[in-house]
C-alpha cells in the first residue's frame, strides 16, 4: 500500500526538484518488496478497491531520445501512473536515465534496478537448476518472474544497464 500512496502524491509533484529523489527512494523500497515477493505480482494483495491505481496525466509531453531508446518516461507523473509500475517500479530505471535528476537519486535508482536484476537472474538460474534436476516435488518458478520488464530492459541495453556498469 505504501507504494500506491507514495506514487499518488509523487504524481502531483512534476515540477518539484525533489520528485526524482522521492521516486528513487520508492524504487529502492520497491526493490526490497520485489525481492521478498520473489518478483511474483500474483502473491501481492490486490488493493485496487481500497487504493485505486494512479491516474494517467491528461497532457503528454513529447518523448526525449532517452525515453524513446529505453521505452520509459522520466517524468514523475508518467512513472507513477505507468501500468507496469502498478505494484513496484520496474523496467529500465527511469530516475537513473534522467540526466537532470540529482546524482544521489540516480545512484539509488541504479541500485534498485541492480537488486531487481539480481532477483530475476536468481529466479532464472534456480528454474534452470530445478529443471535440470528433474525435481517434480518443488513448485515451479513462474516464467513471468524470470522474464520481467526489468530483465527485458537490461537485456536490450546490456552495456548501459548491467548492474556492474550502473553502480560503478
Amino acid at each position: 500500500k505504501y507504494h500506491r500512496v507514495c506514487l499518488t502524491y509523487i504524481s502531483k509533484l512534476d515540477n518539484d526538484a525533489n520528485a526524482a529523489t522521492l521516486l528513487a527512494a520508492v524504487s529502492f523500497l520497491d526493490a526490497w518488496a520485489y525481492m521478498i515477493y520473489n518478483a511474483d505480482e500474483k502473491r501481492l494483495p490486490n488493493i485496487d478497491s481500497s487504493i485505486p491505481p494512479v491516474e494517467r496525466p491528461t497532457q503528454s509531453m513529447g518523448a526525449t531520445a532517452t525515453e524513446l531508446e529505453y521505452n520509459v518516461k522520466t517524468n514523475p507523473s508518467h512513472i507513477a501512473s505507468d501500468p507496469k509500475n502498478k505494484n513496484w517500479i520496474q523496467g529500465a530505471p527511469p530516475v537513473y536515465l534522467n540526466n537532470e535528476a540529482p546524482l544521489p537519486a540516480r545512484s539509488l535508482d541504479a541500485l534498485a534496478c541492480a537488486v531487481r536484476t539480481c532477483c530475476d537472474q536468481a529466479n532464472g538460474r534456480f528454474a534452470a537448476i530445478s529443471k535440470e534436476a528433474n525435481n517434480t516435488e518443488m513448485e515451479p518458478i513462474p516464467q513471468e518472474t524470470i522474464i520481467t520488464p526489468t530483465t527485458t530492459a537490461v537485456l536490450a541495453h546490456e552495456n548501459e544497464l548491467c548492474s556492474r556498469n550502473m553502480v560503478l
Side-chain angles (χ1 to χ4, degrees):
K1 291 182 180 183
Y2 79 91
H3 169 86
R4 188 79 54 89
V5 171
C6 289
L7 290 186
T8 299
Y9 287 106
I10 290 172
S11 71
K12 298 169 184 0
L13 298 175
D14 267 349
N15 297 322
D16 190 300
N18 295 316
T21 303
L22 291 170
L23 266 170
V26 170
S27 181
F28 186 68
L29 289 172
D30 285 353
W32 292 110
Y34 191 86
M35 194 168 46
I36 290 167
Y37 285 98
N38 208 22
D40 192 350
E41 291 185 293
K42 293 176 186 164
R43 291 183 173 184
L44 294 172
N46 185 345
I47 61 167
D48 288 347
S49 59
S50 59
I51 305 172
V54 180
E55 290 184 29
R56 303 277 292 168
T58 53
Q59 58 190 30
S60 183
M61 303 178 307
T64 66
T66 300
E67 290 174 332
L68 291 172
E69 181 180 353
Y70 291 92
N71 191 29
V72 67
K73 292 284 193 181
T74 57
N75 173 287
S77 63
H78 284 90
I79 297 166
S81 63
D82 188 329
K84 79 173 174 238
N85 296 331
K86 175 182 169 185
N87 293 315
W88 37 54
I89 294 177
Q90 55 185 335
V95 178
Y96 170 76
L97 294 171
N98 181 355
N99 288 330
E100 296 175 14
L103 186 57
R106 293 183 70 208
S107 299
L108 189 57
D109 196 37
L111 183 58
C113 184
V115 169
R116 293 191 311 268
T117 301
C118 289
C119 184
D120 294 345
Q121 288 176 348
N123 280 341
R125 289 182 181 145
F126 189 70
I129 290 169
S130 179
K131 183 177 180 181
E132 191 176 294
N134 219 5
N135 191 340
T136 56
E137 294 176 18
M138 292 182 62
E139 183 180 327
I141 295 176
Q143 190 67 17
E144 61 270 12
T145 68
I146 300 169
I147 306 300
T148 66
T150 299
T151 296
T152 303
V154 170
L155 291 177
H157 304 280
E158 201 163 345
N159 288 333
E160 300 88 354
L161 297 181
C162 78
S163 300
R164 176 186 65 248
N165 290 343
M166 283 195 315
V167 295
L168 285 178

